[in-house]
Amino acid sequence: MTLARGLLQHVPTQPDLERLYYELERIGAPSVGRRAPWPYEPATKEALAGLAGEMLRYDPRLLSVLLQLFLEGWMELNPLALRTVMQTMRWPQALLVVLEFARAATRDVELRYFADYLGAGFVRMSPAERFFLDAERPGSRMARRKSGRNFKAYARWGFIGTERPTANATSKRLVGSYDTTSRAWVRRQLADRRGPFKVSEYLDALDDAISRQQAYKDLRDDPEFVVEGRGRGARWRRKKRRSRSADRG
């Protein structure tokens, strides 16, 4: 398969990915690969980062690798040189998704400015695309569970995705939260399927990707929900819809 444009010459093969992991490890990324033959010659760190951004859509494991590379080594990257590479990418937005996760993982203001500069002038993908290509079979149990859900970092750049990267190889801390539309969809599905539910059940349905405070705020601010009871036994239920005949009466 030949790609229309961008940095990739073809869909990444296993040797391509092994070599990429090897090259990323050489510049400080938490990855292990091997020096397999491949058709690329990235001369700079920025060129390698761009190539990795293109391959990212074919390999979910790269998301955590690139996130940690940016979090720990962004100061060693030339932003102008990286923007120049991104302008030749088929999916520069893929690399910008990584930077959105980096925003969520750190309070470093300078890193946020760095991300702002790299993203300036790029637009969201339209129509939206599933971020990881061939991530799961359509209609599978996993696909059904993920249906209607999207994380903010993907949505910001016109993608759909539910994979959360790890910000630290030691702590395994996951980064990312569902966007507003996804959270509304999840709580409505939860209420329709189970009836009244606890905040803890809402959090579980969201894979604990938001704080308990945010969960309470979601439910309090949603006009379709009302609380029953108090304290730990409190449950949230969806308000009964008025029938058309009742509205006419």
Side-chain angles (χ1 to χ4, degrees):
M1 176 178 178
T2 302
L3 299 176
R5 56 191 176 86
L7 302 178
L8 297 184
Q9 296 184 19
H10 50 244
V11 172
T13 63
Q14 186 60 34
D16 289 340
L17 292 169
E18 290 174 351
R19 178 61 178 270
L20 178 66
Y21 277 88
Y22 169 82
E23 297 293 342
L24 289 172
E25 182 184 18
R26 294 181 64 196
I27 64 170
S31 62
V32 177
R34 70 182 183 91
R35 194 173 181 177
W38 69 346
Y40 306 107
E41 297 181 1
T44 64
K45 291 182 178 180
E46 294 78 18
L48 181 61
L51 184 61
E54 296 277 67
M55 290 195 189
L56 170 59
R57 296 197 65 191
Y58 296 92
D59 186 2
R61 298 171 300 172
L62 273 172
L63 184 58
S64 292
V65 172
L66 289 176
L67 173 59
Q68 292 172 42
L69 177 65
F70 275 111
L71 287 174
E72 298 171 11
W74 68 271
M75 288 184 291
E76 297 180 16
L77 295 171
N78 181 316
L80 178 57
L82 186 52
R83 269 185 64 87
T84 301
V85 171
M86 290 170 65
Q87 290 165 5
T88 69
M89 292 174 63
R90 186 181 187 191
W91 303 299
Q93 297 90 345
L95 212 52
L96 295 173
V97 166
V98 179
L99 288 164
E100 288 298 315
F101 279 115
R103 289 175 185 272
T106 183
R107 295 181 180 179
D108 189 333
V109 176
E110 295 300 324
L111 176 52
R112 290 172 177 267
Y113 292 152
F114 177 81
D116 287 342
Y117 173 71
L118 290 177
F122 290 105
V123 298
R124 301 171 72 252
M125 299 287 290
S126 182
E129 298 181 8
R130 177 68 63 180
F131 187 80
F132 290 110
L133 304 172
D134 301 324
E136 64 269 332
R137 298 191 311 275
S140 67
R141 183 177 180 181
M142 182 61 70
R144 289 194 300 271
R145 173 172 170 75
K146 292 180 178 181
S147 176
R149 301 170 182 236
N150 199 13
F151 276 103
K152 291 180 181 179
Y154 299 110
R156 168 66 183 84
W157 292 105
F159 292 108
I160 301 168
T162 55
E163 291 77 4
R164 299 170 69 192
T166 302
N168 185 288
T170 302
S171 68
K172 303 296 182 182
R173 178 171 66 93
L174 295 175
V175 181
S177 61
Y178 287 110
D179 63 8
T180 303
T181 302
S182 297
R183 299 201 306 272
W185 183 89
V186 167
R187 59 181 174 268
R188 283 159 177 69
Q189 289 290 310
L190 185 62
D192 292 345
R193 188 172 66 252
R194 296 188 183 181
F197 58 84
K198 295 181 179 180
V199 171
S200 60
E201 293 175 304
Y202 177 46
L203 285 168
D204 182 63
L206 290 171
D207 306 314
D208 291 305
I210 62 172
S211 67
R212 182 171 287 268
Q213 290 77 11
Q214 182 63 58
Y216 274 117
K217 186 176 187 304
D218 283 354
L219 292 163
R220 285 197 308 266
D221 294 348
D222 193 328
E224 288 198 28
F225 283 84
V226 62
V227 65
E228 298 176 334
R230 296 183 177 181
R232 293 186 176 181
R235 293 177 180 271
W236 294 82
R237 68 170 175 81
R238 198 170 182 182
K239 294 179 181 178
K240 293 182 179 180
R241 298 180 180 178
R242 289 168 57 90
S243 66
R244 291 185 178 181
S245 59
D247 289 339
R248 288 195 296 269

